[in-house]
Each structure stands twice: as C-alpha cells, then as structure tokens.
Amino acid sequence: MMISNSFFRKSGLMMALFLILAGSVQSQQYNQTDSLKKHVYYLASDELAGRKPGTPGIEKAAAYITQQFKNIGIKPFGDSYRQTFKLLVGASLDKINSLTINDKALKLGSDFVPSEISGNAKATGAVAFVGYGLDKNFGKASYEGIDVKGKWLIIIRGSIDPADKSARALLTGDYSKAMTAADKGAAGVLFVNPAWNKDEKLEIKPVFSRAMGTVNIPVITISPKTALSIINKPASYLDKFPVDNEPASFVTDAVVSAETSFLLQYQNTSNL
C-alpha cells in the first residue's frame, strides 16, 4: 500500500510541531499556546500553498522548521536536518493496457480505463458478477455461495447506501472492495458505475493519483454497456439492482483477459 502525500504532510507537520514545542518548553523561550498558534498559522498559511513536495511552499516550510530547531538547540542527525527520499506522487498509462472479452478486443478510453488503484498486472479468467462487492462485515455478503478464486469480478461502484451519491462513496469504496476481492483470490476487478452515475464518462487522465494506494491485481473501470454484455443482461438490470437484492452473485459465460500497466512518477522530497 502506498501512503498519500497528504499523510506525509500532516504527519511531518505534527512531528515538527511536537519537537518545536518540546524544545520551547525546555528552553522556556515561549508561551506554549502562543508558540503553537504562531507555528500552525505560518505552516498552514496560503503563502506555503499546501506544502506539496517539489514546490516552493514545502521548501519555505522546511527552512522555517530548520530555523526553529536551531533556535531551540535541536541538533541534526548527521550533517543535515533533512532525510531525503523519493515519494510516489502519481502515474501515467504505459503503452500496454488492454481488455478482451471472449477474444474480442475493447477500446481503451470508451469501453474501459484502468483504475488509478490498479497494480501493473495481467490476468485471464472467467467472470463473476458480485453486485456491490460487499463483504460480510458490512451486513450484506456478495460472496456467499460463490467461489471467486481465479475469476474476474464485476463489481458495482459506490456506497452500500443507494442515497449516498457522493464522490467519496465512489472513490473510497473502490479500494476496499478491490482489496476484498484480491484477498479472496480474484484474478482482477471490473468496476461499473451504479445506475445513478452511469453517465459519468470514462477518462484517460494525464496523471493518475496514487493517493488511495494500489492493489496487486488488475483493476479496471468499464462502461455499463460493456458490463451488460459480459453478464448478458438487459439494459434495465443495473438500473433495478438495489442493495436489497444482495446476495445476487453468479458466474457468467464470459472469459476476460486484460493487462494494466502504469509508469510510476516519483518526486524527490525530504523529512525533517
């Protein structure tokens, strides 16, 4: 699992503030409350623009924290206060990204797009439809009575609550559902948007975020038309598929072969 940039920024900021305050108390140079406000207000200010790795804002923040360390007598570990490392900040599609159904090649960008949580992987196997891809921990189980090992799984994106139409319900659910599928031995995941969001266009992004982490199996988002052709159901099937229908899983007659491939993008940055 990859840790997000925001996690590094938040955890790094909190650790720096802790060290500054601890040193401040020991040296009795500052009132603790006023000192905390001063540091937080500056490090969270618009001037630093979020402190994203590789930007002037993160350099200003590093210079500020370094000076505070010097002021209160914290010595560097070695020759520098900074520990440099490479941070995964995104990915772009590599040359090979393919999806075939029963030996028929589909079109990248209109029929399918690799998910930003997908690993670099390829797999071939039968396909099972598992509804919303819910594990028993959610009170509904999509995997009861079906063996998914070695199979591609079609999973409806989104929250178990049909009323939750937020972007967060779509994005955060993908990772947990794909991880559940991988843990159960699935060969890959084919996500399809729920009926209320089926008009969302598939999009090949210049840069795919890696903020949610990655799954070690191929994960692909497919169009509703593609999903219906695999499960051999009428257009109304996904429209009428509520959570209350769970479990409603079945193995299809289709065989899917696919490969997902990303070029990973790293940014040099440092901790203090």
Side-chain angles (χ1 to χ4, degrees), residues 137-199:
N137 295 333
F138 291 97
K140 298 279 188 177
S142 303
Y143 294 95
E144 290 182 355
I146 188 169
D147 181 10
V148 300
K149 287 185 178 180
K151 295 182 177 66
W152 280 86
L153 305 183
I154 295 181
I155 300 176
I156 301 175
R157 300 178 71 205
S159 171
I160 60 175
D161 179 6
D164 186 358
K165 300 181 180 181
S166 65
R168 181 177 177 81
L170 288 175
L171 294 174
T172 59
D174 287 0
Y175 184 77
S176 61
K177 290 179 180 183
M179 283 295 292
T180 297
D183 289 344
K184 293 181 179 295
V189 172
L190 301 171
F191 278 123
V192 61
N193 282 324
W196 49 263
N197 198 46
K198 65 183 179 182
D199 292 332

Side-chain angles (χ1 to χ4, degrees), residues 103-132:
D103 296 324
K104 179 183 178 181
L106 275 66
K107 187 176 180 180
L108 176 65
S110 58
D111 298 324
F112 76 98
V113 170
S115 169
E116 62 188 15
I117 63 173
S118 179
N120 286 354
K122 59 181 178 180
T124 299
V127 184
F129 175 76
V130 292
Y132 281 91

Side-chain angles (χ1 to χ4, degrees), residues 209-227:
S209 169
R210 286 307 208 202
M212 289 299 297
T214 57
V215 185
N216 62 358
I217 59 174
V219 182
I220 295 171
T221 302
I222 59 177
S223 68
K225 180 180 178 181
T226 300

Side-chain angles (χ1 to χ4, degrees), residues 18-87:
F18 172 79
L19 291 173
I20 292 171
L21 286 176
S24 298
V25 170
Q26 290 178 358
S27 62
Q28 298 181 351
Q29 292 180 6
Y30 308 105
N31 173 279
Q32 189 172 1
T33 301
D34 291 341
S35 177
L36 177 60
K37 287 181 179 179
K38 172 189 173 184
H39 301 313
V40 169
Y41 287 173
Y42 178 71
L43 293 171
S45 68
D46 292 342
E47 180 183 346
L48 272 59
R51 309 181 311 279
K52 186 177 179 180
T55 65
I58 193 67
E59 291 301 318
K60 289 182 180 180
Y64 178 85
I65 294 171
T66 297
Q67 188 58 54
Q68 298 307 310
F69 284 174
K70 290 179 178 179
N71 290 347
I72 59 179
I74 296 178
K75 297 186 180 300
F77 182 77
D79 298 330
S80 174
Y81 288 96
R82 300 192 182 197
Q83 295 84 48
T84 301
F85 64 97
K86 288 185 176 181
L87 178 66

Side-chain angles (χ1 to χ4, degrees), residues 204-253:
I204 300 177
K205 301 176 182 178
V207 177
F208 288 73
S209 169
R210 286 307 208 202
M212 289 299 297
T214 57
V215 185
N216 62 358
I217 59 174
V219 182
I220 295 171
T221 302
I222 59 177
S223 68
K225 180 180 178 181
T226 300
L228 291 168
S229 71
I230 296 174
I231 63 178
N232 195 27
K233 295 290 184 180
S236 61
Y237 185 78
L238 293 178
D239 297 344
K240 297 178 179 179
F241 194 88
V243 173
D244 289 342
N245 276 0
E246 300 273 20
S249 304
F250 57 89
V251 179
T252 73
D253 295 328

